[in-house]
Amino acid sequence: MSAPQPDLRRAMRRAERGRQLTAFLMVLPLLAFLGVVFVAPIATTLTKSIASPDVSNALPQTSAMLLNWDGTSPPTEDMAAIMVPEIAGAYAAKTIAAAATRINEEQPGMRSVMMRAAREAGEMQPPYLQALTDLDPAWAETERWVHLQATATPYTARYLLAVLDLRRDQGGVIAAVPPDQALYLDYLKRTLVISLSVTLLCIVIGYPVAYFAAHARPVTARIVLACVLLPFWISVLVRTAAWMTLLQREGMVNSFLLKAGLIDAPLELIFNRLGVYIAMVHVLLPFVVLPTYNAMRTIPAAHVMAAMSLGARPFAAFRTVYLPQSLPGVSAGALLVFILALGYYITPALVGGAQDQMLSYLITQFALNLGNWGMASAAAGLLLLTTIVVYVVFRKAFGARGFTV
Amino acid sequence: MNPPKNPIVLTVFTLLVCLFLVVPIAIIMPLSFSSGSFLSYPLPGLSLRWYETVLQPTPWLAAVKNSLIIALGATAIATTLGTLAAYGLTIANFPGRGIIIGILISPLIVPMVIVALGIYFMFARMGLSGTFTGMILAHAAIGAPYVVITVSAALRGFDRRLVLASSSLGARPVTTFLSVILPLVAPGVISGALFAFMTSFDEVIIALFIASPAQFTLPRQLFSGLREQLDPSIIAISTLVIVFTVGLLAAYEVLRSRAARNQILR
């Protein structure tokens, strides 16, 4: 058969382009939907971790003046003359409260100082610096104005630094906060330790189970898989309720052990790290078993037999022939477990103690209980970055496929 | 060929793991029929009093109703958009396909608390916080990737000549889609819908951020209940959830095996 004629080729290309366009138009609704309900919200969140608009919005002239000030020379009458009328205006416009709250983040106690100055500012007469100092002598000190200056920029690295237990010192150099104030890096470390431990536990427990199911009679395999799948479908909250019932101080496990005379006093099985591990492994184990089982099913039995007929002992045959072929399944499962564990919130919140909370808890704490959106967003950015790094490194290192379409 | 015999140690280990997985769920259910308020055996007597407590209009039945409204709405959106997208991804390789797949799947990878925080900001601005619409849209977003994955898997072995045959017989594209493609990928669509439904039915963090008490879902209510006090009424509602979930899965299994049998007979 001869090559297609040019116009036929063009027609085919046009048909292919048409098909591509149709295909894209079918994907578009979901893409647009996720853009609005998923991508844009997360992007907005990330910008909030560096946004600091409250002071520059409420006090634009004061902010501009403070950003031009060198930050070391003593405050002047000119500076006060810009600030006093503006805070009086902001007080009338009720925008001063948000700015004062932001300044308070920089230096605790500044909220009431600012609100008081703003309240009185309408009555103040020049010289304004003197009027401020009469109200509170600290207005004559450079340090007070330095705190204001730190909040005058619309963007700040403050929150991002803070979640890493870093801050800018007086000279603007980034340094670690004193150890007694270092609170947040622990959450990152803990998140990684718990996620890694749960992943390893799931592999150690899940691999033999997957092996058993892959080499059992079909009926037995179905039963084992049903045992694995059943909890997978049941609500995490219901399962957590079950573990709380079983493991609490007066719970079934403790009362059984007490009655059996195996222990004299109830064991602390929950509201600690042990409870978190038990409940998380229960939830995440199926994510390792299922892909591992699927990978094992594709390993020809002849491979291991061939290795053994060539003189390999069973363990050597397993290690050199079977294990490598099952690893893609294990690594896919491990990646899933690791990623899901990183973002865990419910289980540690319900069965963990104060020392078992992870980054997700920090985010909800800042957002819902403290209303500190800058810190919530910065912690979210840290968690997202951690997740992406783990995902990329894991895929590179182990060739795990993760989710595929 | 008979499968090789599993070593006894492995059999025992697997049995223990299966017990670890199933026993906690099974063992709590009878506690809900206790006449006392202790969560331990032996039961002091049998009674339905905890079910009576739970089956009141508020808070539990209202939460069940909210959960169903939100999960069904989210499932409808996720399934429609997800099936369409999966089909689009299968029929042609257009530029940017890899990146688009990455975006479509990313709700599975990004921790839910980050999604919740983002949605909180966005929905507050759009007036969707504390509304059913907001909850449905948010849950649809996290359920859609499951539909994309399961439908794509169902389409993987799909023979495109069937589409050509259908069009050559004069069917319009919509007819082809509805009468040729959809029946073939139905198992994938139903699995995806089931995943999306269960995801919404079990989701608590987004509800924690954006639901007002009028939209408290069952997981949200359970979360509060578990924080305050673990009592038999929580176990009673948990038992109902377990029965509902198992029933749903059993119905799906029956449907699937019947469909498979029909296919063989045809």
Side-chain angles (χ1 to χ4, degrees), chain A residues 334-372:
Chain A
L335 175 61
L336 273 180
V337 169
F338 203 155
I339 294 285
L340 292 172
L342 284 175
Y344 244 63
Y345 171 71
I346 301 169
T347 312
L350 290 173
V351 304
Q355 290 305 308
D356 310 310
Q357 302 303 325
M358 317 211 290
L359 277 175
S360 290
Y361 173 83
L362 197 60
I363 298 169
T364 53
Q365 196 68 9
F366 277 128
L368 298 178
N369 295 352
L370 303 172
N372 188 337

Side-chain angles (χ1 to χ4, degrees), chain A residues 19-20 45 235-236 282 346, chain B residues 6 21 91 93 118 160 202 204:
Chain A
R19 207 152 53 89
Q20 284 188 348
T45 302
S235 165
V236 174
H282 190 245
I346 301 169
Chain B
N6 275 310
L21 288 170
I91 58 171
N93 193 358
R160 235 184 25 227
D202 195 20
V204 65

Side-chain angles (χ1 to χ4, degrees), chain A residues 75-85 120-121 123-135 139 145:
Chain A
T76 62
E77 171 61 18
D78 287 349
M79 289 161 66
I82 291 174
M83 191 185 84
V84 169
E120 308 284 337
E123 309 291 314
M124 285 180 187
Q125 299 296 326
Y128 288 116
L129 188 59
Q130 189 57 50
L132 281 171
T133 313
D134 288 344
L135 194 68
W139 280 109
W145 295 80

